C-alpha cells in the first residue's frame, strides 16, 4: 500500500510550511502529496491564507524530485476545460511526469458565488465534468482536439507540450454518489470517495457501489485503483492521542455524540492501532492511503507514521 499526505491550503498554510512538509514527506519515503482546490475556507475568514492549487503544485514540482503530486480534487467548474488541460500538462512536464490528475464535479457553492461562477444543479455539474474529461483527454493525446459536448466545446485546440506520461497522467475521480460513481467507472484510472471519515465498513459499502457502477458501464472493477484519504490522529501513547482530540473538540463544535461519531470514521490511535486500521482497508483492496493530519501537527505525525507505520505497509 502506497502512502501519501493531503494538504488543505484553505486552513491557512504558508507556502514555506507546505514546502517543508513536501520535502520532509519525500525524505521520509511517502510516495505522493495532494492539495485541495479551494479559494477560501469560509467567508468570515478573510485573513486566512489559501494558496491556489495549480500554482502551488507547479511550485512544488521544483522543490521535490520523487513525490507524485496532484489535486484532491480539482473542481472542473473553476477553469475552462481547455485551460485546465493545458495547465495540467504543464505541471506534468515541470515535474518530469509526476502529476496525478484528480478531478471532481465541484460542490462548494459559497466559492462559486463569491467568484462569479455559475452553480448549476448537481446533474448539470456532473455532465460538465464528463465534457471536461473528454476535452482533457483529447487535448493530451491528439495533435489538434475538437469536441462538442452538452456544456463545453473546443475546436482544433492545441496542447503543446503534451504531458510526459503516456498515454496521459492518471485520472483520479472524486466520487461518492451513484451518478459520480458511474463517471468514475467509465473514465477513472483511480477513485477517491471524497469522505475523510469513512470507516472500513463504510468504505466496503462504497466499493460495492463502485462494483455495480463498473458492471453498468462495462468496465473491469479491477482496472480502477482504490484510494482513501483518511483523517488521522496518531500519537506514541493513547494519552497523546486523547490530548489532541480534546484540543480539537473545541474547534469542531457540535455535541460530544456527534464528535464521537465523526471520529469513528477517522484513523486514530497509537502506531499499533493505526496499523490495524490500515490493515482493514488493505484487506478491502485499498492500494493508496492518504493521511490528512490536524492542521499544525503535520510534521510530527508525518514522522511518526514514517517510523512506525510505513514499514508495515510495504
Amino acid at each position: 500500500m502506497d502512502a501519501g499526505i493531503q494538504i488543505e491550503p484553505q486552513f491557512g498554510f504558508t507556502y514555506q510550511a507546505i514546502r517543508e512538509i513536501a520535502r520532509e514527506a519525500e525524505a521520509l519515503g511517502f510516495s505522493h502529496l495532494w492539495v485541495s482546490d479551494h479559494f477560501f475556507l469560509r467567508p468570515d475568514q478573510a485573513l486566512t491564507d489559501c494558496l491556489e492549487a495549480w500554482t502551488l503544485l507547479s511550485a512544488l514540482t521544483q522543490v521535490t524530485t520523487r513525490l507524485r503530486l496532484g489535486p484532491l480534487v480539482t473542481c472542473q467548474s473553476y477553469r475552462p476545460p481547455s485551460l485546465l488541460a493545458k495547465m495540467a500538462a504543464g505541471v506534468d512536464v515541470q515535474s518530469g511526469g509526476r502529476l496525478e490528475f484528480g478531478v471532481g464535479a465541484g460542490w462548494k457553492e459559497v466559492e462559486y458565488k463569491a467568484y462569479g461562477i455559475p452553480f448549476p444543479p448537481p446533474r448539470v455539474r456532473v455532465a460538465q465534468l464528463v465534457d471536461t474529461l473528454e476535452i482533457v483527454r483529447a487535448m493530451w493525446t491528439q495533435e489538434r482536439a475538437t469536441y462538442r459536448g452538452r456544456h463545453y466545446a473546443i475546436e482544433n485546440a492545441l496542447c503543446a507540450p503534451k504531458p510526459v506520461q503516456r498515454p496521459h497522467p492518471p485520472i483520479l475521480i472524486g466520487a461518492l454518489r451513484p451518478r459520480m460513481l458511474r463517471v468514475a467507472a467509465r473514465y477513472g484510472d483511480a477513485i477517491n470517495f471524497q469522505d475523510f471519515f469513512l470507516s472500513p465498513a463504510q468504505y466496503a459499502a462504497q466499493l460495492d457501489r463502485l462494483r455495480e457502477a463498473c458492471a453498468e458501464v462495462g468496465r473491469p472493477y479491477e482496472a480502477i485503483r482504490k484510494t482513501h484519504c483518511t483523517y488521522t490522529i496518531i500519537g506514541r501513547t493513547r494519552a497523546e492521542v486523547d490530548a489532541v482530540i480534546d484540543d480539537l473538540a473545541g474547534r469542531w463544535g457540535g455535541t460530544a455524540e456527534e464528535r464521537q461519531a465523526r471520529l469513528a470514521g477517522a484513523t486514530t490511535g497509537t502506531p499499533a492501532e493505526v496499523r490495524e486500521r490500515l490493515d482493514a482497508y488493505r484487506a478491502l483492496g485499498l492500494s493508496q492511503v492518504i493521511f490528512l493530519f490536524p492542521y499544525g501537527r503535520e510534521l510530527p505525525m508525518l514522522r511518526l507514521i514514517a517510523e512506525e507505520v510505513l514499514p508495515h505497509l510495504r
Side-chain angles (χ1 to χ4, degrees), residues 14-59:
T14 65
Y15 170 66
Q16 291 76 13
I18 296 177
R19 181 180 61 192
E20 182 180 9
I21 292 168
R23 286 173 167 168
E24 186 75 355
E26 184 166 85
L28 291 171
F30 289 81
S31 63
H32 45 286
L33 182 145
W34 305 82
V35 302
S36 62
D37 184 17
H38 290 296
F39 301 143
F40 55 82
L41 182 58
R42 295 196 304 266
D44 62 343
Q45 294 185 310
L47 300 181
T48 300
D49 289 348
C50 180
L51 292 163
E52 190 276 330
W54 284 97
T55 49
L56 175 58
L57 289 168
S58 180

Side-chain angles (χ1 to χ4, degrees), residues 80-314:
S82 51
L83 174 61
L84 182 60
K86 180 75 172 172
M87 291 167 58
V91 169
D92 197 52
V93 170
Q94 292 161 20
S95 66
R98 292 185 282 133
L99 174 67
E100 296 277 333
F101 184 72
V103 63
W107 63 272
K108 197 171 180 180
E109 184 176 4
V110 65
E111 287 184 334
Y112 282 77
K113 289 184 175 179
Y115 278 72
I117 302 169
F119 186 70
R123 60 179 178 77
V124 174
R125 299 199 307 276
V126 174
Q128 289 173 334
L129 174 61
V130 170
D131 282 354
T132 294
L133 290 164
E134 292 283 359
I135 288 170
V136 167
R137 292 199 310 187
M139 288 183 61
W140 283 347
T141 59
Q142 300 172 19
E143 182 177 310
R144 297 173 183 270
T146 296
Y147 173 83
R148 292 178 179 84
R150 293 170 59 187
H151 301 281
Y152 301 132
I154 55 172
E155 185 167 350
N156 291 323
L158 307 177
C159 184
K162 299 292 186 195
V164 172
Q165 298 177 84
R166 294 289 186 268
H168 53 70
I171 296 172
L172 178 148
I173 295 179
L176 191 63
R177 300 187 185 280
R179 189 181 287 114
M180 281 296 298
L181 289 174
R182 289 192 292 273
V183 173
R186 185 178 299 277
Y187 291 96
D189 300 302
I191 189 169
N192 189 281
F193 292 126
Q194 293 293 279
D195 187 336
F196 303 144
F197 298 93
L198 285 178
S199 68
Q202 292 168 323
Y203 193 85
Q206 282 299 117
L207 290 177
D208 288 341
R209 296 183 185 105
L210 175 63
R211 191 177 282 105
E212 293 171 0
C214 287
E216 286 184 37
V217 305
R219 179 104 182 275
Y221 170 79
E222 296 74 18
I224 301 174
R225 176 168 32 100
K226 287 77 177 177
T227 77
H228 178 45
C229 183
T230 178
Y231 191 81
T232 303
I233 301 171
I234 187 171
R236 292 194 179 277
T237 66
R238 190 67 225 186
E240 286 185 14
V241 175
D242 291 341
V244 174
I245 292 173
D246 289 343
D247 179 60
L248 293 172
R251 303 186 217 171
W252 283 354
T255 66
E257 291 76 14
E258 289 170 338
R259 293 194 295 270
Q260 190 61 36
R262 191 178 192 186
L263 282 171
T267 298
T268 65
T270 64
E273 291 169 324
V274 169
R275 291 194 298 265
E276 182 178 2
R277 180 68 163 231
L278 296 181
D279 281 343
Y281 290 117
R282 179 158 53 181
L284 297 171
L286 181 70
S287 61
Q288 283 190 326
V289 61
I290 305 163
F291 298 104
L292 174 62
F293 301 115
Y295 175 60
R297 301 176 185 270
E298 291 81 11
L299 287 174
M301 291 192 181
L302 194 71
R303 290 163 183 155
L304 185 53
I305 290 279
E307 179 184 344
E308 299 286 348
V309 178
L310 284 195
H312 178 75
L313 299 181
R314 295 184 177 122

